[in-house]
């Protein structure tokens, strides 16, 4: 770089660039220092991290001097190596680096002089223009950043390992441990004044979730849970420090106050003090672990038609409930001892049921419901005492107040069925009642032609049970296995007598059809027509259910499948379409056509044969009904979300109405978010399944009402659908029932939140309800697939092979059912749609102008999915 003169352009440029030159020079110093001293800095970082973690305390005192000398030698060697490599940068080097960062090296150009043409005015003018351009370029110079990359000098990443040790020491260790180095070697007692002579920690019990406390950071009063462990370490000369404490409750004879290490548990309030140089004292307040509590809300107990009990309860604990159970014992003092109950009962263990705990969220305070079906237990409909208990992590138990109740179970209204079930109870009460039970059964089955039995099958089954029971009594009595076998047979007989068979259901359906036909002939009002149509729907569903049960009894393996050429396939949706068409014709006044359609429907129902398809006709109807409920719940959730937006952005509705058209529906615009039938649904928009039709009409009728009323109607619809579910066995069937129960509870929570104008909370409960519905439908499909193909290998959906596809590319269901469990939206479309939805949620969550409550809801969606 040429030397500058006071009046030349270079001097002027350097005066302006003095800050940039200084920073570039400082960067050179940092760059050369880093390259020269990084080994020394890495060693010092590793040593500091090890000291913070207290690793030196595990080194034997004899080796400490040698270890210290080795580390000191390494520090000296690496420091000398760094000094040997380091070269102090000059100002000229900083100028050269700054000039090299500029285009055309303007600083070097400003230091040059004109070699030729000094006498030529044109040459001089050109040279001055060149100098002015270089000066302008040099004025824009910026400091040059140093190159601190050390990858080529440290190919093994030793500096990163040392930095990791330092970070771990800072996070998990303590800087106070550096002062204990002097006490680890021989003669450390003389160095007491160089640092702390003691250290200690308090660790609360793990189940509390509370952090550990470092005693050196605590002052005055320390509040910790009972059972917290205190650990103290004394360094230096033995006896220089002594412990005095009254918080553990230990006897004086078990304490060695001068020991180098102390450990005890907090059991009560007291004092903790360290006597000696640098000693400290604290007052300890012990926080007792409260026992958990549970309260049975027996006034809200419910029993379904099938006898399933739902008993709500509330539980709470300061640190969380870990488990619980309900114990039900027979209350003999309230049992009416007459008839079969006059005998001494056989001993039975108490009924023990595990209490359900929340799957998500905390367990410090929650409300759940105990759900169980005890209809087949020997104590059904007898007085019992229920008591719930919950436990916490500390092993403490909380008991509820005893609840006197009658054990909920299914009720039988048919006199013959009730008599059979009563004798079953007497047999389970005591095997000594077996002769009496046989005598009563023979008496009630006398003269069956007088209409006591609905069918000969029920009478014949009763006679078979009676003969077997009498044979067992004559052979010397019943053992446990024989008693349970007879009890199960009596239960199945009671169910058959109560529910009837397909013939009884067919008679009820015929009667409903005749009443509807007479109403059409006599010009009934639209209200009467709607009521009679609903009666026909219910009778039809009952008939289909009985036909399905009959098909399962007669052909449990699925029966012989006829060829598709000789079979007309129909599902419950086709039947619903036909009934909707009949109702539509009647409402339009086309009674002749409606009468003809009703007669065709009657002939078809009488001649139909129900086969076990993909889970059976009843299962298919239930799946379709649940799908409709899921769509309506989605529409209701969308409406609640839009209402939430409108609370903070009244203009949001007009911009989103078009986006939401068509969702939650079937074809075209389908089911609207307001709960009303869209334009494209047509007649197929009615809900399949008679058990849910009434709930659907209530939901549609309440479309103009509040969201809470519509949510209540939808919950009632799901409750009716649960009552019409097929009997599914196995883990998948149980999982389906539990999921639908959770969905109903979530709907109830959403309804309560809507009544309290808590739209955000309602959206969370509605999301839980939809997720539970999807889970229940998946489990239900798996259970039906296993029931349809027991013991055969399948693809997880009960399909053992590829059936012939219909014109839409869907596989036909088994038997005579038309349908498929496969999704119409397959392959990448599913994942593309999911990605699109997730991207839309992320986009909206990034818009800061949206209301905080909406942004919180979007964040919860992202966390969940």
């Amino acid at each position: 770089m040429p030397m500058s003169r006071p009046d030349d352009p270079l001097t002027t440029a350097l005066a302006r660039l003095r800050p940039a030159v200084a920073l570039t020079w400082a960067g050179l110093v940092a760059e050369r220092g880093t390259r020269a001293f990084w080994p020394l800095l890495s060693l010092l970082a590793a040593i500091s991290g090890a000291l913070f973690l207290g690793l030196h305390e595990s080194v034997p005192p004899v080796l400490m001097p040698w270890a210290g000398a080795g580390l000191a030698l390494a520090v000296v060697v690496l420091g000398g190596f760094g000094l040997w490599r380091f070269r102090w940068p000059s100002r000229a080097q900083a100028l050269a680096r700054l000039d090299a960062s500029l285009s055309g090296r303007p600083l070097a150009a400003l230091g040059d002089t004109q070699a030729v043409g000094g006498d030529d005015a044109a040459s001089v003018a050109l040279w001055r223009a060149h100098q002015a351009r270089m000066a302008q370029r040099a004025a824009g110079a910026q400091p040059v950043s140093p190159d601190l990359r050390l990858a080529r000098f440290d190919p093994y990443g030793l500096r990163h390992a040392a930095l990791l040790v330092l970070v771990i020491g800072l996070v998990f260790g303590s800087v106070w441990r550096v002062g204990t180095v002097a006490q680890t070697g021989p003669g450390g007692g003389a160095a007491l004044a160089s640092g702390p002579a003691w250290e200690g920690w308090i660790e609360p019990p793990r189940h509390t979730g509370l952090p550990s406390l470092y005693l050196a950071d605590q002052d005055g009063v320390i509040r910790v849970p009972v059972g917290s462990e205190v650990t103290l370490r004394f360094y230096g000369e033995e006896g220089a420090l002594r412990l005095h404490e009254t918080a553990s409750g230990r006897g004086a004879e078990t304490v060695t106050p001068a020991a180098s290490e102390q450990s005890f548990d907090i059991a009560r309030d007291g004092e903790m003090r360290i006597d000696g140089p640098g000693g400290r004292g604290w007052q300890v307040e012990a926080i007792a672990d409260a026992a958990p509590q549970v309260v049975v809300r027996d006034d809200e107990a419910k029993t379904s038609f099938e006898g399933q009990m739902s008993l709500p309860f509330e539980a709470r604990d300061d640190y969380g409930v870990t488990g619980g159970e309900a114990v039900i014992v027979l209350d003999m003092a309230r049992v009416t001892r007459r008839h079969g109950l006059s005998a001494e009962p056989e001993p039975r263990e108490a009924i023990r049921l595990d209490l359900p705990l929340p799957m998500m969220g905390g367990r410090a305070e929650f409300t759940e419901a105990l759900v169980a079906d005890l209809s087949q237990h020997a104590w059904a409909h007898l007085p019992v005492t229920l008591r719930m208990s919950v436990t916490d992590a500390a092993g403490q138990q909380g008991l509820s107040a005893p609840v006197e109740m009658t054990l909920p179970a299914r009720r039988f209204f048919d006199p013959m069925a009730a008599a059979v079930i009563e004798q079953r109870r007497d047999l389970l009460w005591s095997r000594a009642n077996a002769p009496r039970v046989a005598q009563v059964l023979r008496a009630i089955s006398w003269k069956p032609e007088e209409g006591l039995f609905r069918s000969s099958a029920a009478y014949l089954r009763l006679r078979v049970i009676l003969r077997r029971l009498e044979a067992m009594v004559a052979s010397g009595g019943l053992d446990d296995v024989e008693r349970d076998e007879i009890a199960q047979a009596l239960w199945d007989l009671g169910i058959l007598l109560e529910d009837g068979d397909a013939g009884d259901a067919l008679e009820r359906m015929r009667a409903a059809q005749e009443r509807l036909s007479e109403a059409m002939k006599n010009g009934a009002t639209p209200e009467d027509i709607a009521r009679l149509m609903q009666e026909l729907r219910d009778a039809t569903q009952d008939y289909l259910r009985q036909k399905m049960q009959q098909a399962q009894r007669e052909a449990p393996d699925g029966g012989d499948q006829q060829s598709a050429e000789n079979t007309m396939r129909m599902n419950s949706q086709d039947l619903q379409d036909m009934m909707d068409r009949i109702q539509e014709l009647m409402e339009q006044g086309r009674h002749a056509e409606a009468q003809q359609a009703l007669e065709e429907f009657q002939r078809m129902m009488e001649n139909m044969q129900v086969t076990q398809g993909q889970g059976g006709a009843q299962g298919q109807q239930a799946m379709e009904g649940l799908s409709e409920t899921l769509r309506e719940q989605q529409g209701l959730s969308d409406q609640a979300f839009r209402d939430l937006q409108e609370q903070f952005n009244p203009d949001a509705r007009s911009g989103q109405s078009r986006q939401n058209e068509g969702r939650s529906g079937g074809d075209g615009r389908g089911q609207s978010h307001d709960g009303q039938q869209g334009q494209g649904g047509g007649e197929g928009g009615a809900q399949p399944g008679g058990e849910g039709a009434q709930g659907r009409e209530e939901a549609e009728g309440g479309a103009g009402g509040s969201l809470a009323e519509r949510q209540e109607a939808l919950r009632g619809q799901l409750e009716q659908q649960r009552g019409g579910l097929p009997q599914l066995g196995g883990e998948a069937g149980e999982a389906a029932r539990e999921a639908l129960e959770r969905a109903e509870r979530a709907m109830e929570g959403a309804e309560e939140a809507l009544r309290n104008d808590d739209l955000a909370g309602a959206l969370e409960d509605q999301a839980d309800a939809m997720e539970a519905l999807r889970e229940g439908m998946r489990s239900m499909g798996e259970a039906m697939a296993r029931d349809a193909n027991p013991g055969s290998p399948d693809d997880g959906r009960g399909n053992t092979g590829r059936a012939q596809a219909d014109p839409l590319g869907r596989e036909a269901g088994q038997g005579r059912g038309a349908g498929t469990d496969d999704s119409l939206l397959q392959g990448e479309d599913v994942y593309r749609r999911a990605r699109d939805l997730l991207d839309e949620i992320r986009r909206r969550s990034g818009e800061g102008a949206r209301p905080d409550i909406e942004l919180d809801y979007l964040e919860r969606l992202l966390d969940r999915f």
Side-chain angles (χ1 to χ4, degrees), residues 7 9 13 93 168 302 317 327 373 444 559 565 675 830 844 849-850:
D7 56 347
Q93 291 173 331
I168 293 176
K302 298 179 181 178
D317 184 67
V327 180
D373 187 356
I444 63 177
E565 292 80 1
V830 178
R844 296 189 180 187
R850 293 182 176 272

Side-chain angles (χ1 to χ4, degrees), residues 782-858:
E782 295 174 3
M784 290 192 300
R786 279 196 294 269
D787 290 346
N789 296 277
S792 62
D794 52 65
D795 60 356
R797 297 173 304 191
N799 299 329
T800 58
R802 302 295 295 178
Q804 183 177 3
D806 66 1
L808 294 179
R810 301 172 297 180
E811 292 182 5
Q814 297 179 359
R816 294 171 178 82
T820 176
D821 286 339
D822 294 339
S823 174
L824 293 180
L825 186 61
Q826 300 177 355
E828 297 180 354
D829 290 340
V830 178
Y831 303 102
R832 184 175 67 250
R833 178 60 176 162
R835 286 196 300 270
D836 292 343
L837 292 175
L838 189 58
D839 291 342
E840 179 64 15
I841 294 175
R842 287 172 176 167
R843 183 188 67 79
R844 296 189 180 187
S845 64
E847 296 177 357
R850 293 182 176 272
D852 293 340
I853 189 170
E854 181 182 348
L855 293 176
D856 293 341
Y857 172 68
L858 295 174

Side-chain angles (χ1 to χ4, degrees), residues 196-202 214-218 222 230-235 237 239-246 257-262 264 271-284:
W198 59 267
E199 61 180 347
W201 303 266
I202 300 180
Y214 188 57
L215 279 177
D217 298 335
Q218 308 302 314
I222 302 177
V230 180
T231 302
L232 287 167
R233 291 179 182 176
F234 297 155
Y235 304 104
E237 183 180 355
L241 297 174
R242 300 175 65 85
L243 170 67
H244 172 77
E245 61 86 14
T246 59
S260 61
E261 184 168 346
Q262 303 279 348
F264 60 90
E271 180 186 9
M272 184 170 59
R273 186 178 69 251
I274 298 176
D275 298 329
R280 297 270 295 276
W282 305 269
Q283 288 292 329
V284 178

Side-chain angles (χ1 to χ4, degrees), residues 149-479:
R149 292 173 295 182
L150 299 174
R152 65 179 185 274
F153 303 102
D154 182 20
Y156 298 104
L158 299 179
R159 65 192 187 284
H160 298 308
L163 182 61
L164 178 62
V165 173
L166 177 61
V167 172
I168 293 176
L170 290 173
V171 174
F172 299 102
S174 172
V175 295
W176 294 104
R177 290 195 171 188
V178 179
T180 62
V181 175
Q183 283 78 46
T184 56
L192 281 175
S194 63
W198 59 267
E199 61 180 347
W201 303 266
I202 300 180
E203 297 182 9
R206 182 172 300 179
H207 70 269
T208 63
L210 298 176
S212 299
L213 301 178
Y214 188 57
L215 279 177
D217 298 335
Q218 308 302 314
D219 294 319
V221 179
I222 302 177
R223 301 180 74 253
V224 290
V226 171
S228 299
E229 182 181 6
V230 180
T231 302
L232 287 167
R233 291 179 182 176
F234 297 155
Y235 304 104
E237 183 180 355
E238 184 175 356
L241 297 174
R242 300 175 65 85
L243 170 67
H244 172 77
E245 61 86 14
T246 59
S248 66
R250 301 180 298 179
E253 64 278 1
T254 63
V255 179
T256 305
S260 61
E261 184 168 346
Q262 303 279 348
S263 179
F264 60 90
D265 293 339
I266 299 295
R268 63 186 183 186
D269 296 345
E271 180 186 9
M272 184 170 59
R273 186 178 69 251
I274 298 176
D275 298 329
R280 297 270 295 276
W282 305 269
Q283 288 292 329
V284 178
E285 291 185 6
I287 305 175
D289 189 346
Q293 300 177 3
V294 59
V295 177
V296 182
R297 296 160 56 176
D298 55 306
D299 56 333
E300 301 179 16
K302 298 179 181 178
T303 305
S304 66
F305 176 79
E306 293 81 8
Q308 189 176 67
M309 171 187 66
S310 177
L311 183 60
F313 66 92
E314 296 178 358
R316 62 177 59 88
D317 184 67
D318 44 4
Y319 299 114
V321 175
T322 60
E325 69 172 358
V327 180
I328 303 175
V329 296
L330 183 65
D331 190 351
M332 288 295 298
R334 295 191 295 127
V335 175
T336 303
R337 304 294 298 275
R338 62 179 182 179
H339 306 308
L341 301 180
S342 59
E344 284 300 318
E346 297 179 359
R348 283 186 179 271
E349 296 183 355
I351 303 175
R352 297 183 179 273
L353 304 173
D354 293 332
L355 296 181
L357 300 178
M359 300 295 295
M360 302 174 60
R363 298 180 178 178
E365 183 173 359
F366 62 90
T367 300
E368 282 288 345
L370 174 64
V371 179
D373 187 356
L374 303 174
S375 298
Q376 299 190 45
H377 197 272
W379 298 342
H381 296 299
L382 292 180
V384 295
T385 300
L386 178 141
R387 197 167 194 179
M388 292 185 179
S389 63
V390 290
T391 57
D392 60 9
Q396 300 181 105
Q397 187 180 52
L399 296 175
S400 69
V403 177
E404 295 182 351
M405 59 187 300
T406 299
L407 188 64
R410 175 170 180 169
R411 293 189 175 276
F412 292 83
F413 301 97
D414 182 83
M416 180 60 69
V420 170
I421 295 301
E422 181 181 353
Q423 297 311 305
R424 173 185 179 275
R425 181 205 62 187
D426 294 346
L427 183 62
L428 291 174
W429 180 265
S430 175
R431 281 173 290 187
N433 286 328
R436 179 182 179 278
V437 170
Q439 184 179 9
V440 172
L441 290 178
R442 180 170 293 278
I444 63 177
S445 62
W446 177 252
K447 292 184 178 181
E449 65 277 3
E450 295 183 357
L452 293 177
F453 293 91
R454 293 182 176 179
S455 64
S456 59
Y459 171 73
L460 293 177
R461 181 178 296 189
L462 176 59
R463 299 298 293 182
V464 170
I465 296 173
L466 180 58
R467 286 196 297 269
R468 292 180 60 188
L469 178 59
E470 290 177 339
M472 293 176 183
V473 172
S475 63
L478 286 71
D479 56 22

Side-chain angles (χ1 to χ4, degrees), residues 86-118:
F86 182 75
R87 296 292 182 272
W88 195 264
S90 64
R91 185 172 182 273
Q93 291 173 331
L95 284 174
R97 169 166 288 194
L98 181 63
D99 193 24
S101 66
L102 300 174
S103 175
R105 293 184 175 269
L107 295 178
L110 291 175
D112 293 339
T113 59
Q114 186 176 2
V116 295

Side-chain angles (χ1 to χ4, degrees), residues 43-44 75 187 197 234 261 321 408 428 461 477 505 581 637 754 762 812:
L43 178 61
L44 293 177
V75 169
F234 297 155
E261 184 168 346
V321 175
L428 291 174
R461 181 178 296 189
R581 180 60 178 170
S637 179
L754 288 172

Side-chain angles (χ1 to χ4, degrees), residues 114-131:
Q114 186 176 2
V116 295
D119 298 333
D120 185 7
S123 297
V124 171
L126 179 61
W127 177 255
R128 290 177 178 175
H130 170 67
Q131 291 281 353

